[in-house]
């Protein structure tokens, strides 16, 4: 299990939550695109990826994230994304479910 975020506050919260739950995981303070490049170079494969890009940038990141994710997804992997419903993150994977919560949209993609 790997958690990646570039925000020091988010990393602190992730570590605290994992500790409280008694879960051992790899937590990296890193930009997501850099983490995906590293994972691809190491031939890592993930069954589940959760994406929560900054809402204001989600629409512009769709193609780039789709390409980077393709290299690190295991067969039958699932990708879950969160973004603004008015300008959602568009990924190039089959959409299997979508839920709206106020201005937020959660999309579930299978590969």
């Amino acid at each position: 299990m790997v958690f990646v975020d570039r925000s020091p506050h988010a990393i602190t919260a992730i570590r605290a939550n994992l500790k409280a739950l008694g879960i051992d995981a790899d937590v990296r303070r890193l930009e997501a695109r850099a983490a995906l490049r590293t994972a691809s170079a190491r031939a890592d494969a993930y069954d589940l990826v959760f994406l929560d890009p900054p809402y204001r940038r989600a629409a512009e990141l769709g193609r780039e994230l789709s390409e980077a994710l393709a290299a690190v997804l295991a067969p039958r992997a699932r990708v879950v994304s969160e973004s603004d419903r008015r300008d959602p993150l568009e990924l190039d994977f089959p959409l299997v479910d979508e839920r709206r919560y106020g201005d937020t949209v959660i999309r579930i993609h299978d590969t």
Side-chain angles (χ1 to χ4, degrees), residues 47-49 51 62 65-67 69-70 73-81 89-99 106-111:
D47 296 315
L48 175 65
V49 174
L51 301 170
L65 287 172
S66 293
E67 291 172 4
L69 283 168
L73 292 175
R76 298 184 309 275
R78 180 159 280 184
V79 178
V80 180
S81 67
L89 178 63
E90 301 284 349
L91 297 173
D92 297 332
F93 303 107
L95 181 66
V96 296
D97 197 5
E98 179 177 283
R99 310 266 173 109
I106 305 293
R107 289 182 165 175
I108 301 171
H109 302 266
D110 282 346
T111 60

Side-chain angles (χ1 to χ4, degrees), residues 9-22:
H9 298 295
I11 291 295
T12 299
I14 291 167
R15 286 187 174 134
N17 288 334
L18 289 169
K19 183 177 180 181
L21 293 169

Side-chain angles (χ1 to χ4, degrees), residues 53-75:
Y55 280 19
R56 69 186 180 285
R57 297 203 49 227
E60 71 189 62
L61 293 172
R63 179 175 302 281
E64 182 180 358
L65 287 172
S66 293
E67 291 172 4
L69 283 168
V72 300
L73 292 175

